[in-house]
């Protein structure tokens, strides 16, 4: 038995109704923020970024895959890493289930990392994922969208992340950080950058956290997502069968 308050059903209903009023305020605020997000001005993308994909080299415009909207998840997987970031992996678990719905709604979702394509393919296979994932290895893309930094930038002790300069000494994830960016392509093939978000700005992409927020113990963490592991690293994970 916990030391949490235990009350009558009538008292619980009174408290729950008070919280519901706050939840409705949050919903209305989210609607207002979404409207402001859609009203943001756009920036034309002039640089010719190139990416490696399983079907060959592609431009940023090619990644739209015939649709007018592209949402990129900046997945933390650096060239010298052997596995993707556990937090990014936690977030990406839901991607496969969204693809049919997003594609039908004129949206392409892809992950992009700086790691070479063969490392991406190996980790993608390990995790059993199907969502598109391109390599920006050798490109300025990650640097221009402020999710990767050069050794010189890191050595300066200050980096530009989440639309503000911060001290690198408070970070423990090296050259990479998470984020997402959205792009639009018009009928002439011109690409525009419409939105980016970083840090906790993409927290609501993590469906598991949203479920935990409604569980009796909430996230039940000592530090941000310190309970998270890659899905094949939990003690309860079943060994995967191999075909060879």
């Amino acid at each position: 038995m916990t030391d949490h308050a235990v009350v009558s059903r009538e008292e619980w209903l009174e408290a729950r109704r008070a919280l519901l009023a706050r939840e409705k305020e949050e919903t209305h605020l989210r609607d207002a923020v979404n409207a402001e997000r859609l009203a943001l001005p756009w920036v034309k993308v002039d640089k010719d970024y190139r990416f490696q994909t399983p079907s060959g080299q592609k431009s940023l415009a090619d990644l739209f895959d015939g649709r007018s909207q592209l949402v990129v998840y900046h997945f933390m997987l650096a060239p010298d890493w052997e596995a993707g970031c556990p937090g990014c992996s936690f977030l990406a678990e839901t991607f496969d289930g969204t693809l049919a719905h997003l594609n039908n709604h004129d949206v392409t979702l892809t992950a992009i990392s700086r790691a070479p394509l063969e490392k991406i393919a190996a980790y993608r296979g390990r995790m059993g994922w199907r969502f598109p994932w391109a390599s920006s290895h050798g490109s300025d893309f990650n640097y221009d969208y402020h999710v990767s930094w050069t050794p010189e930038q890191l050595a300066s002790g200050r980096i530009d992340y989440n639309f503000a300069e911060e001290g690198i000494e408070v970070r423990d994830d090296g050259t990479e950080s998470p984020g997402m960016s959205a792009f639009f392509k018009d009928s002439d093939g011109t690409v525009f950058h419409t939105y980016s978000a970083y840090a906790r700005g993409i927290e609501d992409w993590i469906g598991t956290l949203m479920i935990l927020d409604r569980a009796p113990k909430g996230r039940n963490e000592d530090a941000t997502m310190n309970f998270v592991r890659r899905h094949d690293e939990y003690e309860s994970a079943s060994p995967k069968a191999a075909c060879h």
Side-chain angles (χ1 to χ4, degrees):
M1 189 68 178
T2 70
D3 59 0
H4 206 88
V6 177
V7 298
S8 67
R9 174 60 60 175
E10 289 73 21
E11 290 174 294
W12 182 88
L13 283 171
E14 182 179 357
R16 181 64 189 93
R17 286 169 179 147
L19 177 60
L20 178 60
R22 295 284 288 158
E23 289 174 336
K24 289 182 176 181
E25 289 178 13
E26 180 185 33
T27 299
H28 295 152
L29 177 58
R30 184 174 68 244
D31 290 343
V33 170
N34 284 341
E36 291 182 37
R37 183 182 295 117
L38 292 176
L40 277 174
W42 296 352
V43 178
K44 182 181 176 182
V45 179
D46 292 317
K47 189 173 287 191
D48 183 22
Y49 297 108
R50 294 287 160 170
F51 306 89
Q52 299 302 319
T53 78
S55 56
Q57 187 182 91
K58 293 187 176 182
S59 66
L60 183 60
D62 294 332
L63 295 183
F64 282 74
D65 198 22
R67 302 179 183 92
S68 71
Q69 300 167 87
L70 176 69
V71 175
V72 170
Y73 181 64
H74 302 289
F75 199 113
M76 294 170 63
L77 180 54
D80 57 341
W81 295 8
E82 295 305 318
C85 161
C88 289
S89 302
F90 188 52
L91 182 150
E93 295 284 12
T94 62
F95 285 0
D96 283 349
T98 69
L99 296 179
H101 306 286
L102 292 173
N103 293 350
N104 186 66
H105 210 50
D106 192 33
V107 176
T108 295
L109 171 67
T110 187
I112 294 178
S113 301
R114 282 200 308 121
L117 192 61
E118 57 268 23
K119 282 197 172 184
I120 290 174
Y123 188 62
R124 185 172 177 258
R126 170 186 165 182
M127 295 289 99
W129 294 329
R130 297 179 295 104
F131 59 82
W133 196 342
S135 169
S136 62
H137 190 61
S139 162
D140 293 335
F141 184 76
N142 282 54
Y143 301 105
D144 290 349
Y145 288 90
H146 303 286
V147 289
S148 298
W149 295 274
T150 65
E152 292 76 19
Q153 289 171 319
L154 295 173
S156 75
R158 308 295 295 179
I159 59 171
D160 183 358
Y161 181 62
N162 201 19
F163 309 105
E165 190 179 78
E166 66 174 45
I168 193 66
E169 66 275 7
V170 303
R171 302 170 53 79
D172 59 5
D173 47 17
T175 62
E176 311 299 307
S177 277
M180 62 75 52
S181 295
F183 302 88
F184 178 79
K185 184 170 69 171
D186 68 14
S187 58
D188 294 328
T190 304
V191 175
F192 302 87
H193 174 220
T194 66
Y195 181 76
S196 286
Y198 308 94
R200 292 194 69 181
I202 50 174
E203 187 176 79
D204 55 3
W205 281 35
I206 308 177
T208 304
L209 287 185
M210 303 301 105
I211 295 173
L212 286 174
D213 284 343
R214 290 153 178 81
K217 291 185 179 181
R219 300 186 186 185
N220 195 24
E221 58 190 6
D222 299 320
T224 303
M225 297 201 306
N226 70 332
F227 61 92
V228 172
R229 305 290 182 272
R230 299 176 183 91
H231 66 234
D232 61 355
E233 294 174 342
Y234 293 111
E235 291 181 5
S236 59
S238 301
K240 290 184 178 179
C243 60
H244 55 281

